[in-house]
Every structure is written in C-alpha cells, then in structure tokens.
C-alpha cells in the first residue's frame, strides 16, 4: 500500500525577468524507471516569483518507489543552483543532493540513490534553458 504526498510544480519568473524558479517532481522505481506522477486534487498556489505558473496537489507513491523533488533557481547569467530531494513511500527523506552550475554535491542520505538523482536532474536541466519570452505572457 502506498501513501499520498503533497507536491508543488512551479515555473515562475521574477518581475524583472532576472531570476527563474523551476520545481519539478518525478516518481522512480528501484530499478531506475523515472516517470511523471499523476496529480490528484490539484489547485493553483503561489510560487516564489510573480510571473508564471505554480500548481500544488497530491500524488500516490507505491511501495519500493521514490518521489524525486527538484528545485532550481536560475539567474540572468544562466547559473543554476538548487536541491534534489528523494523521498520514499513513508514520506521520509532518503537523499539530499545540492546542484550548483552543473555539479552535484552529496549532502545527506543513501548514496546508492545518486544515480536516480542524476538521471532526473538531467531531464530537468535539459529543458530548463532560459525561456523568458514564454513566461512573460
């Protein structure tokens, strides 16, 4: 039996357009299959910055699956920093990794899950190119 965990998905930008906040969530199995979770009971919530969109909701996590939460902040010089947190189905944090400009640094938790953190981060950083025209609508 799994458990419900509250999540936040965000893609917002500051009023000046110099900073952008990206928050994504993935679900991964122990064998490394990464997928996008289904949102249950979603609602609009406030993000870190003014422009853009932020959605909160719940998702179900089955046993032997992990929730991967990625939170990145990008500045106008294309520097990115943030954290990758991996949470198990008991809603306890099992790994925390810091990301700064293309480098991962272990903070705490189970080091055997580093490959899940890296694979999911590669998915986000690949699409996190600076797209200011898209958010200024």
């Amino acid at each position: 039996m799994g458990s419900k965990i509250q999540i936040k998905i965000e893609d917002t930008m500051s009023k000046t357009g110099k900073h952008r906040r990206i928050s994504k969530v993935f679900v991964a199995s122990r064998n490394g299959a990464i997928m996008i979770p289904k949102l249950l009971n979603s609602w609009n919530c406030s993000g870190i910055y003014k422009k853009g969109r932020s959605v909160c909701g719940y998702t179900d996590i089955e046993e032997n699956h992990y929730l991967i939460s990625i939170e990145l902040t990008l500045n106008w010089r294309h520097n990115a920093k943030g954290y990758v947190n991996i949470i198990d189905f008991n809603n306890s944090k099992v790994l925390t990794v810091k990301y700064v400009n293309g480098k991962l640094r272990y903070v705490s938790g189970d080091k055997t899950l580093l490959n899940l953190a890296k694979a999911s981060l590669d998915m986000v950083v690949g699409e996190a190119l600076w797209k200011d025209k898209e958010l200024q609508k």
Side-chain angles (χ1 to χ4, degrees), residues 48-117:
I48 299 293
Y49 296 117
K50 195 78 168 166
K51 298 177 187 176
R53 185 167 182 235
S54 181
V55 177
C56 294
Y58 291 94
T59 188
D60 282 328
I61 302 297
E62 299 297 323
E63 284 192 41
N64 298 323
H65 283 73
Y66 298 103
L67 182 83
I68 302 170
S69 171
I70 300 172
E71 297 175 354
L72 297 175
T73 302
L74 293 88
N75 70 5
W76 60 279
R77 291 182 177 170
H78 304 281
N79 295 333
K81 66 170 119 175
Y83 287 93
V84 178
N85 293 310
I86 298 182
I87 301 165
D88 66 356
F89 66 95
N90 292 327
N91 202 7
S92 62
K93 209 181 277 190
V94 291
L95 177 69
T96 301
V97 178
K98 185 171 183 171
Y99 176 78
V100 177
N101 294 332
K103 297 178 185 173
L104 285 173
R105 190 184 80 210
Y106 170 80
V107 176
S108 66
D110 185 7
K111 289 186 179 183
T112 60
L113 299 173
L114 283 172
N115 59 347
L116 288 178

Side-chain angles (χ1 to χ4, degrees), residues 10-21 46-54 132-137:
E10 177 180 2
D11 192 357
T12 58
M13 185 185 297
S14 65
K15 282 184 183 181
T16 60
K18 292 183 178 180
H19 292 89
R20 181 177 175 198
R21 175 70 171 217
S46 63
I48 299 293
Y49 296 117
K50 195 78 168 166
K51 298 177 187 176
R53 185 167 182 235
S54 181
D132 56 350
K133 304 289 184 207
E134 197 173 288
L135 289 173
Q136 290 181 2
K137 295 177 187 174

Side-chain angles (χ1 to χ4, degrees), residues 119-135:
S120 59
L121 189 63
D122 289 341
M123 294 171 59
V124 173
V125 171
E127 72 179 37
L129 301 174
W130 197 253
K131 300 178 189 174
D132 56 350
K133 304 289 184 207
E134 197 173 288
L135 289 173

Side-chain angles (χ1 to χ4, degrees), residues 19-35:
H19 292 89
R20 181 177 175 198
R21 175 70 171 217
I22 297 172
S23 178
K24 299 263 184 179
V25 177
F26 298 101
V27 172
S29 62
R30 282 191 188 263
N31 61 8
I34 298 173
M35 58 200 126

